[in-house]
Amino acid sequence: MKQDLKNIAVLTSGGDAPGMNACIRAVIRTGIYHGKNMFGVMQGYQGLIDNNIIPMDARSVSNILHMGGTILKTARCLAFKEEAGMELAFKNLQEKEIDGLVVIGGDGTFTGAKRFGEKYNINVIGVPGTIDNDLSGSDFTLGYDTAINTVIEAIDKIRDTADSHDRLFFIEVMGRDSGCIALRTAVASGAEAVLLPERETSLKELITKLKAGASTKKSSSIVIVSEGNKYGGAYDIAKSVKRKFTHYDTKVTILGHLQRGGSPSGFDRILGSRLGYAAVNALIAGESMQMVGLYGNAIKLTSLEDALNTHNYKLESDLLEMTHVLSI
Ligand code: ADP
């Protein structure tokens, strides 16, 4: 891998996540501190193809640490999946003599980064930036903690109204392939049940649980539904339950995109700063094709290949059993 890099670029790609700005700030300032020329790529891989690559200095990232979203914008770019798109992206980087690239994003972004780094002579480091927490090698991905806090705040409000009206609420949260947000928010909001893409919960099991609560005078029940569970969305599951559980007033709330937005939590600001700082230090140390992650309370490098291997990633299944016990 290349040593002694001079010019480093950073981009954000895929779904935006709170804390990306904190990370961009850390990348730019760490690079400048070490005497590197720093660049920001607009709109993810699309900006590489369109040559939308701008020089950045320490002041370019002033006052962004607390902001949600990403100042570099993000995009889903199909052209980067094609050889021609990748070649053009590399040509644009070469013209500016950029020899190091930090990509902040989720599994799609890493898949692209891996292909790009394997084919072309450029050092690539990934930062796990996704609210889904579905990458291996980092206990937490950037934005996950903020998203959890946002969902908890919303559920607290729903619980007030559910309680006042003796209602059963189905709340759909993000996580098509990963039940992490659903599971953690279920614990923190005292949900009566949670449906995840990774685990099968039968309708019968769910109804037994809800009936047990009703018979012990629970005034409201909340079921958290991860959008990727096997019954479909929250509306589908609410309809099926309503058929067997007629006396309850059943409501559905889909939290949707509000889960992505908002000012990053303290945790995500610190995580973004640590990961951005570590990403540039890894590039300076001559590393490539690695993801920087938080493991325990230490920064760890994991190959992009291992980060993408979902077999390495584990759902906190002890929390599932605990949710069941604590909501009797
Ligand atoms: P996320 O990174 O949040 O998972 P996506 O799955 O949309 O988001 O991926 C982000 C971008 O990564 C895509 O728009 C595309 O440009 C790039 N990408 C995804 N898969 C590949 C691939 N197989 N080859 C090259 N680029 C890819």
Side-chain angles (χ1 to χ4, degrees):
M1 286 298 125
K2 281 190 178 186
Q3 301 283 336
D4 202 20
L5 311 184
K6 283 196 194 68
N7 302 320
I8 298 174
V10 56
L11 61 81
T12 49
S13 160
D16 63 310
M20 281 183 163
N21 282 326
C23 188
I24 294 166
R25 171 179 176 270
V27 167
I28 298 296
R29 291 193 172 168
T30 306
I32 287 169
Y33 179 85
H34 289 289
K36 308 298 172 194
N37 299 311
M38 301 303 292
F39 295 83
V41 182
M42 300 304 294
Q43 290 172 323
Y45 294 127
Q46 191 63 52
L48 286 183
I49 292 172
D50 297 344
N51 207 4
N52 200 352
I53 305 169
I54 48 174
M56 295 186 83
D57 62 24
R59 296 288 79 79
S60 319
V61 290
S62 294
N63 275 322
I64 64 165
L65 178 63
H66 62 291
M67 287 162 50
T70 157
I71 61 158
L72 295 177
K73 313 276 184 187
T74 178
R76 305 209 190 258
C77 170
L78 293 179
F80 193 72
K81 293 188 177 182
E82 310 297 327
E83 294 296 332
M86 284 209 181
E87 205 172 309
L88 188 51
F90 184 63
K91 187 180 127 297
N92 290 332
L93 287 167
Q94 255 187 327
E95 258 172 28
K96 294 190 166 59
E97 297 182 14
I98 292 170
D99 36 21
L101 182 65
V102 177
V103 298
I104 310 170
D107 57 350
T109 300
F110 282 14
T111 306
K114 184 170 168 289
R115 278 184 60 199
F116 194 57
E118 276 166 358
K119 177 127 201 234
Y120 297 100
N121 185 24
I122 183 160
N123 289 8
V124 181
I125 295 288
V127 174
T130 163
I131 63 167
D132 294 338
N133 206 39
D134 57 351
L135 289 161
S136 303
S138 190
D139 295 340
F140 295 94
T141 57
L142 206 47
Y144 174 50
D145 182 68
T146 305
I148 285 173
N149 284 308
T150 304
V151 171
I152 291 167
E153 206 182 315
I155 297 176
D156 286 349
K157 290 181 175 133
I158 291 167
R159 177 73 84 176
D160 288 346
T161 176
D163 224 24
S164 306
H165 292 272
D166 289 356
R167 275 178 178 156
L168 166 59
F169 260 91
F170 290 86
I171 302 174
E172 187 176 298
V173 301
M174 279 185 172
R176 211 172 296 285
D177 304 305
S178 155
C180 289
I181 292 180
L183 186 53
R184 284 215 155 206
T185 53
V187 174
S189 62
E192 276 60 36
V194 53
L195 302 180
L196 310 169
E198 295 93 340
R199 292 279 185 285
E200 292 236 335
T201 306
S202 72
L203 214 52
K204 201 170 150 213
E205 221 179 300
L206 176 63
I207 288 165
T208 306
K209 171 79 192 201
L210 294 171
K211 281 192 170 158
S215 70
T216 54
K217 301 199 171 26
K218 267 198 182 249
S219 55
S220 65
S221 287
I222 286 188
V223 178
I224 301 190
V225 182
S226 195
E227 60 184 339
N229 90 92
K230 72 162 186 170
Y231 295 106
Y235 281 108
D236 301 315
I237 178 93
K239 224 184 275 169
S240 308
V241 170
K242 180 76 185 164
R243 264 184 241 125
K244 315 231 170 198
F245 207 56
T246 45
H247 71 281
Y248 241 120
D249 186 9
T250 306
K251 299 283 176 206
V252 174
T253 299
I254 314 269
L255 292 182
H257 280 82
L258 71 84
Q259 294 165 87
R260 284 197 182 284
S263 179
S265 64
F267 182 90
D268 276 329
R269 294 180 198 199
I270 296 164
L271 184 63
S273 303
R274 286 180 85 178
L275 295 179
Y277 174 79
V280 174
N281 284 330
L283 280 175
I284 289 171
E287 295 287 353
S288 184
M289 303 297 280
Q290 306 283 318
M291 178 192 82
V292 288
L294 185 73
Y295 204 71
N297 194 24
I299 299 296
K300 185 188 124 178
L301 294 181
T302 303
S303 69
L304 290 178
E305 183 163 357
D306 285 347
L308 283 165
N309 185 346
T310 47
H311 295 299
N312 296 338
Y313 142 81
K314 288 196 178 55
L315 192 77
E316 298 166 295
S317 37
D318 54 317
L319 297 188
L320 187 58
E321 173 62 18
M322 193 179 80
T323 304
H324 181 64
V325 172
L326 300 188
S327 62
I328 56 170

